[in-house]
Amino acid sequence: MEDALVDKSVDKEFPVFSPGLEGVIAATSSICDLSDTGDILYRGYSIQDLAKNATYEEVAYLLLLGKLPNRKELKKFTSELARKRALPDGVASIIHKLPKNSHPMDVLRTGVSLLGLYDGKHQETSKEANLERAKNLIAQVPVLLTDFYRYARVLKSIGADKTLNNAENLLYMLTGKHPNDLSAKVFNVSMILYAEHELNASTFSARVTASTLTDIYSTITSAIGTLRGPLHGGANEAVAKMLLEIGDVSKAEAWVRAALSRKQRVMGFGHRIHRTAEDPRSAIIKRYARELGENTGKTKWYDICTAIEDEMHKQKNLYPNLDLYTAVVYLLMGIPIELYTPIFVCSRLAGWSAHVIEQQENNRLIRPRSIYTGPKNLQYLQLDERS
Amino acid sequence: MEDALVDKSVDKEFPVFSPGLEGVIAATSSICDLSDTGDILYRGYSIQDLAKNATYEEVAYLLLLGKLPNRKELKKFTSELARKRALPDGVASIIHKLPKNSHPMDVLRTGVSLLGLYDGKHQETSKEANLERAKNLIAQVPVLLTDFYRYARVLKSIGADKTLNNAENLLYMLTGKHPNDLSAKVFNVSMILYAEHELNASTFSARVTASTLTDIYSTITSAIGTLRGPLHGGANEAVAKMLLEIGDVSKAEAWVRAALSRKQRVMGFGHRIHRTAEDPRSAIIKRYARELGENTGKTKWYDICTAIEDEMHKQKNLYPNLDLYTAVVYLLMGIPIELYTPIFVCSRLAGWSAHVIEQQENNRLIRPRSIYTGPKNLQYLQLDERS
C-alpha cells in the first residue's frame, strides 16, 4: 500500500504541534545518550574515554555492534575495513567523469547512491546484510572523496595504504603524505567526535528513509543530502571562512561585536541540545587544537577562536559547539575547507549505519501528520471560468 | 553548528512516545487535506474534480503555486515543462553507462542526485529557485526513467515529443507508441492520484532533508530512496505480482484465504490514514480500471481484483487503497512491473517539491529526540582487559 501498514491501535488525539519536532520523541535507541550530566555516551561509554584512547575503528565497532571489541576482534575489523576500500570499477570510472567543480558533498551523495547499483544484494535488509554494507561504506566513502578530490584538483591519484587505519589513510589520501603521529591522533579524535549524535537531522532522515524497509544505500544517501545543508554539516566550513576573514586575533572581538550588531549568526556556537552548557565535544577538540597549534608553531587560529569564544560568552552567554575548534584543527592540517563536511560524512557513517540497523531491526513506518492550514472545499471551475 | 539553531523557547517535557510518529503533528501545511469526510483535497480542491477534469500539469501547477492556472497560465506552464525535458549531456551519458540490470528506482535516485551536479545554481533555496528546479525535475525525471529503460532493454532511443503533455509523453517514451485517448486519460488520472498525500514517509523525508536548508536535489533524492521501500512505493508492484500469481478469477478467493491463514499480508489493502473507510483514490481508479478493461476486452485483472476486494472485506474488513486497481491499469497498459514505483516518483515529484518549498519558506530544523534505552556509564577497559 502506499505508505503505511494497517495496525490495530486506536486513533489518538493529536498532541500539540512542536515546530521542528523539538522535544518530540521519535524513537527509542540504545546508541547515543546525550546525558543530563553534559557528557555524551556512545553505547554507554563516555566520549571522553573514547576520544582519549580509541581508534575510529574501535568506535565504529562499538556503535555498530554494541560492544567494545577485544584485541582480536578489533584487529579483524580493522583489517577488514582496510581490505574493503577499493571502489567498484564502474563507480570509479563515473567519479572521474563528473564536472571537476562539483561540490564534494554532491559527489558523495551521488557516489553512495551509485554504490548501491553495483551491489547485487543491496535489497537485503537483515542485520547481517546491513552490517556488511555499513563496513563497505565506512571503507569506501573516504576513497570516493579522495579519489574525486585528487581528480578534480588534477593531483596524482593515490591508492589506499592497507597498513594505515581509517583516519590515517583518509589523511594520507588527501594530502599524499603519511601523517605524523599527532596529526593522525587529532584527526582520529575529530572523526570519533563526529561519529554519532543521536537524532540529529541527518540521522533522523536516514531513519525515516529506513522505515520503509528500503536499502541502506538509500538511507545513507538521504543522510548525506541532509547533512549538506548550512544548518547542519555546513557549519564547520562556515567557521573556517570566518577565521580566515577575521585573520588576526586583534580583530576578533570587534568582528564579533559587528556581526552581532547586524544580527549575523556567529557560526560554531550554540546547539539545540547542548543549550545550557558547553558542548562536551568542544572541550575535547579544543585541547587538541591547542596542542596542534603549539606543535606546528601556528597558534593564530586557536587564539582567534578563544577570543571569539570569550566575546560570545560575554555578549550572548553562548558556548562553542564541536565545529568551532574542529575548524582550527582542519585549518592547521591544511585540509581544503570544502572537504570539512565530507569528512563529517566519513565520520558519521558509523552512527548513521547503527541507526539504520536499529530502525530496521524493530521497524515501524515513520509517518506523522500535518495540521492543514489552507482553504477548504474550493469549487473547481473550468479553465475559461478562472481569473 | 552541527545540527541546530539556538532558539529561545523553553525546554518542554517530552511527550509520550508514539512509535512511527503515528498521530504526531510534524508540520503545518496548506498543501493536502486528508479530510474527515473521506475525501482528499489538494490545496482545497477535491481529487474527484481534479481526476475527472484536469491534466497532470494543472495539478502540478496547483500544488506548486497554490492556485489553479487559468488557460493562459496553464498553456505557458505546459509548454515550459515540455521544453525542459532534455537531460544535460553529462547525465545522459552516465545513465547509458550504468549496469543494465539496475533497479530503475536506484537509477532515478542516482540520476536526480547527478542532476544537482549539472546545475550551477543548485544551492539557491529561494521559493523562485526551488520552483524553477521543481519544474526541471517534473520534466526531466520521466526522461531519466525512459532513457534508462530503453537503454537497459536495448530498445531504440526515443526523444520526447513536445506536442504531448507530461502523462502522454511518459507513456509514449515508454512504449514507443502514441497512446490512445483512453490510455492517456487513465494514465493522467493515475499520475494525479499519486501526486500528493500529505506527510507520507517519502514526503516527510524530503521535508526533514529540506529543513537543513540543503538544495532541492538532495531532498528529492531522499524522497526517492524512501519511496523505494516495500512498505511505501513498492506496494503497487507487489499487487501486480499477486495478480499474475493468482492468474484467474476462480482462484482469487482461495488465494486470499490461504494467504491470510499463513499470515501473509495481502498488498493493496489498508492504510494508516484511511483506516475506517475506503481510500477515496481507490474508487476513482477502480472506475477507470473497469473502463480500460472493457475497452481492451481484457477484464481478467479487474475481475480478480474485485474478487480479492470482496474476500478481504469479508475476512478482514479492509478496504483497497490506491495501489490495488492502479496495478490493473498499468498491467492493461503493458507497463513493465518494475516501472510502477518509478512512475509513482514521476507523479509525486509535484507534491514533494511543493512540500520542500513550503518547508524552506518557513523553516525550522527538524530535530527530534530519542529515549535512551541502552546501558549507562560503562567503564572503558583497555584492549587487553576486554573479554
Side-chain angles (χ1 to χ4, degrees):
Chain A
M1 69 210 77
E2 186 203 306
D3 57 10
L5 299 182
V6 176
D7 78 5
K8 307 288 190 299
S9 68
V10 293
D11 280 322
K12 303 178 190 100
E13 287 291 309
F14 288 157
V16 176
F17 169 48
S18 175
L21 291 181
E22 181 164 357
V24 171
I25 301 293
T28 56
S29 176
S30 63
I31 299 170
C32 181
D33 186 10
L34 302 177
S35 74
D36 298 332
T37 63
D39 199 5
I40 294 175
L41 294 100
Y42 294 171
R43 300 280 192 189
Y45 292 97
S46 165
I47 52 160
Q48 311 287 340
D49 292 329
L50 296 170
K52 187 172 166 200
N53 296 289
T55 59
Y56 178 79
E57 279 84 345
E58 206 173 323
V59 170
Y61 187 104
L62 173 67
L63 289 168
L64 292 171
L65 289 146
K67 74 178 270 290
L68 282 175
N70 61 33
R71 184 174 294 279
K72 194 177 148 197
E73 289 162 338
L74 180 59
K75 192 180 165 193
K76 179 164 174 260
F77 186 76
T78 302
S79 66
E80 208 180 342
L81 289 186
R83 266 201 322 277
K84 282 171 170 287
R85 288 182 186 137
L87 301 177
D89 289 344
V91 175
S93 103
I94 288 173
I95 293 298
H96 289 170
K97 285 189 182 66
L98 299 178
K100 288 200 168 70
N101 64 353
S102 303
H103 193 291
M105 285 297 283
D106 295 333
V107 174
L108 291 191
R109 187 189 62 222
T110 307
V112 168
S113 183
L114 264 175
L115 282 170
L117 275 80
Y118 291 83
D119 176 349
K121 294 186 173 174
H122 66 293
Q123 295 197 58
E124 292 179 18
T125 54
S126 67
K127 181 173 181 177
E128 294 65 36
N130 280 338
L131 192 58
E132 205 53 35
R133 278 154 193 89
K135 287 189 274 186
N136 289 344
L137 287 166
I138 291 169
Q140 290 177 329
V141 172
V143 179
L144 266 181
L145 175 62
T146 50
D147 255 25
F148 173 75
Y149 167 71
R150 301 191 72 85
Y151 147 76
R153 297 282 183 108
V154 203
L155 297 169
K156 197 175 137 230
S157 106
I158 285 187
D161 181 338
K162 278 185 195 169
T163 68
L164 301 179
N165 70 23
N166 199 45
E168 292 162 347
N169 184 65
L170 176 46
L171 260 188
Y172 163 65
M173 291 184 74
L174 277 181
T175 61
K177 282 176 276 187
H178 284 85
N180 64 31
D181 287 353
L182 181 61
S183 291
K185 171 70 185 173
V186 177
F187 193 69
N188 181 73
V189 167
S190 87
M191 290 193 73
I192 289 174
L193 297 179
Y194 274 124
E196 164 58 20
H197 201 248
E198 208 227 33
L199 292 195
N200 57 90
S202 59
T203 301
F204 185 51
S205 74
R207 285 189 82 126
V208 173
T209 298
S211 81
T212 68
L213 297 181
T214 192
D215 64 300
I216 193 170
Y217 297 96
S218 291
T219 68
I220 303 299
T221 303
S222 292
I224 295 172
T226 307
L227 186 67
R228 190 199 190 306
L231 297 193
H232 194 2
N236 54 16
E237 302 190 3
V239 170
K241 286 172 193 160
M242 171 179 77
L243 297 179
L244 292 173
E245 191 186 320
I246 296 174
D248 191 273
V249 65
S250 66
K251 296 178 185 160
E253 189 187 317
W255 190 95
V256 171
R257 283 169 186 247
L260 293 178
S261 75
R262 62 175 180 268
K263 310 250 181 243
Q264 183 187 325
R265 187 141 40 93
V266 177
M267 303 304 282
F269 286 88
H271 197 288
R272 191 188 285 183
I273 308 299
H274 310 288
R275 186 175 286 160
T276 52
E278 192 176 19
D279 181 338
R281 300 169 296 180
S282 175
I284 298 172
I285 199 68
K286 183 178 178 181
R287 285 196 300 276
Y288 287 106
R290 181 174 168 181
E291 188 178 344
L292 198 63
E294 286 168 354
N295 191 270
T296 54
K298 285 179 80 172
T299 55
K300 171 172 142 176
W301 306 122
Y302 178 84
D303 293 342
I304 294 177
C305 274
T306 57
I308 300 173
E309 184 181 349
D310 289 347
E311 194 59 23
M312 285 294 286
H313 188 73
K314 228 185 285 173
Q315 301 278 342
K316 305 284 285 182
N317 199 28
L318 281 178
Y319 296 91
N321 58 43
L322 173 57
D323 296 312
L324 188 70
Y325 289 98
T326 302
V328 173
V329 163
Y330 291 171
L331 276 173
L332 288 172
M333 290 180 183
I335 299 173
I337 292 175
E338 74 269 24
L339 302 186
Y340 291 11
T341 315
I343 290 169
F344 189 162
V345 169
C346 297
S347 313
R348 186 60 57 92
L349 279 170
W352 289 334
S353 303
H355 279 275
V356 168
I357 291 169
E358 186 178 66
Q359 176 69 35
Q360 295 194 331
E361 266 197 291
N362 185 18
N363 189 58
R364 180 147 172 81
L365 184 81
I366 300 178
R367 201 297 181 202
R369 297 297 309 267
S370 61
I371 297 172
Y372 182 70
T373 56
K376 294 206 171 222
N377 299 316
L378 298 179
Q379 197 201 338
Y380 183 88
L381 297 173
Q382 296 303 319
L383 260 185
D384 289 325
E385 298 167 19
R386 297 175 200 163
S387 59
Chain B
M1 74 210 73
E2 186 204 306
D3 57 10
L5 300 182
V6 176
D7 79 4
K8 308 287 190 297
S9 69
V10 291
D11 281 323
K12 304 178 190 98
E13 288 292 308
F14 289 156
V16 176
F17 168 49
S18 175
L21 291 180
E22 180 164 357
V24 172
I25 300 294
T28 57
S29 176
S30 63
I31 299 170
C32 181
D33 186 9
L34 302 177
S35 74
D36 297 332
T37 64
D39 198 6
I40 295 176
L41 295 100
Y42 294 171
R43 300 279 192 190
Y45 293 97
S46 166
I47 53 162
Q48 311 286 341
D49 292 330
L50 295 171
K52 187 172 167 199
N53 297 289
T55 59
Y56 178 78
E57 279 85 344
E58 205 173 325
V59 171
Y61 187 102
L62 173 66
L63 289 169
L64 292 171
L65 288 146
K67 73 179 271 289
L68 282 175
N70 61 32
R71 185 174 292 280
K72 193 176 147 199
E73 288 162 339
L74 180 59
K75 190 178 167 196
K76 180 165 174 260
F77 187 76
T78 301
S79 66
E80 208 180 342
L81 289 186
R83 266 202 322 276
K84 282 171 169 286
R85 287 181 187 137
L87 301 177
D89 289 343
V91 174
S93 104
I94 288 172
I95 293 298
H96 290 170
K97 285 189 181 67
L98 298 178
K100 287 199 169 72
N101 64 353
S102 303
H103 192 292
M105 285 297 283
D106 294 334
V107 173
L108 291 191
R109 187 190 62 221
T110 306
V112 168
S113 183
L114 264 176
L115 283 170
L117 275 79
Y118 290 82
D119 176 349
K121 294 183 173 177
H122 66 294
Q123 295 196 56
E124 292 179 18
T125 55
S126 68
K127 181 174 181 176
E128 293 67 36
N130 279 339
L131 192 57
E132 205 52 36
R133 277 155 194 88
K135 288 189 274 186
N136 290 343
L137 287 167
I138 291 169
Q140 292 177 330
V141 172
V143 180
L144 265 181
L145 175 62
T146 50
D147 255 25
F148 172 75
Y149 167 71
R150 301 190 73 84
Y151 147 77
R153 297 282 183 108
V154 202
L155 298 168
K156 196 176 137 228
S157 108
I158 284 188
D161 181 337
K162 279 185 194 170
T163 68
L164 301 179
N165 69 23
N166 199 43
E168 292 162 348
N169 184 64
L170 177 46
L171 261 188
Y172 164 64
M173 291 183 75
L174 276 181
T175 61
K177 283 177 274 188
H178 284 85
N180 65 30
D181 287 352
L182 181 62
S183 291
K185 170 69 185 173
V186 177
F187 193 68
N188 182 73
V189 167
S190 86
M191 290 192 74
I192 289 174
L193 297 179
Y194 273 123
E196 164 59 19
H197 201 251
E198 208 226 33
L199 292 194
N200 56 90
S202 59
T203 302
F204 185 51
S205 76
R207 286 189 82 125
V208 173
T209 298
S211 80
T212 68
L213 297 181
T214 192
D215 63 299
I216 192 170
Y217 297 96
S218 291
T219 68
I220 303 299
T221 303
S222 291
I224 295 172
T226 307
L227 186 66
R228 188 197 193 308
L231 298 192
H232 193 0
N236 54 15
E237 302 189 3
V239 171
K241 287 172 193 160
M242 172 180 75
L243 297 180
L244 292 173
E245 192 186 321
I246 296 175
D248 192 274
V249 65
S250 65
K251 296 178 186 160
E253 190 185 316
W255 191 95
V256 170
R257 283 168 186 249
L260 293 177
S261 75
R262 62 177 180 266
K263 310 253 180 238
Q264 183 187 324
R265 187 141 39 94
V266 178
M267 302 305 282
F269 286 87
H271 199 288
R272 191 189 287 184
I273 308 300
H274 311 288
R275 188 174 285 162
T276 52
E278 193 175 18
D279 180 338
R281 299 168 297 179
S282 175
I284 298 173
I285 199 69
K286 183 178 178 180
R287 285 196 301 274
Y288 286 106
R290 181 174 167 180
E291 188 178 345
L292 199 62
E294 287 168 353
N295 190 271
T296 53
K298 284 180 81 172
T299 55
K300 169 171 142 176
W301 306 122
Y302 178 84
D303 293 341
I304 295 177
C305 273
T306 56
I308 300 174
E309 185 181 349
D310 289 347
E311 195 57 24
M312 284 296 284
H313 188 72
K314 227 184 288 173
Q315 300 279 341
K316 305 284 285 181
N317 199 28
L318 281 177
Y319 296 92
N321 58 42
L322 173 57
D323 295 313
L324 189 70
Y325 288 98
T326 302
V328 173
V329 163
Y330 291 170
L331 276 173
L332 288 172
M333 290 179 182
I335 299 173
I337 293 177
E338 76 269 23
L339 302 185
Y340 292 10
T341 316
I343 289 169
F344 189 161
V345 169
C346 296
S347 313
R348 187 59 57 92
L349 278 170
W352 288 336
S353 302
H355 279 275
V356 169
I357 290 170
E358 185 178 69
Q359 176 69 35
Q360 295 194 332
E361 265 197 292
N362 184 19
N363 188 59
R364 179 148 173 79
L365 184 82
I366 299 177
R367 200 300 180 203
R369 297 297 308 268
S370 61
I371 297 172
Y372 182 70
T373 54
K376 295 209 170 219
N377 300 315
L378 298 180
Q379 196 200 339
Y380 183 89
L381 297 173
Q382 295 303 320
L383 260 185
D384 290 325
E385 298 166 20
R386 298 175 200 162
S387 58

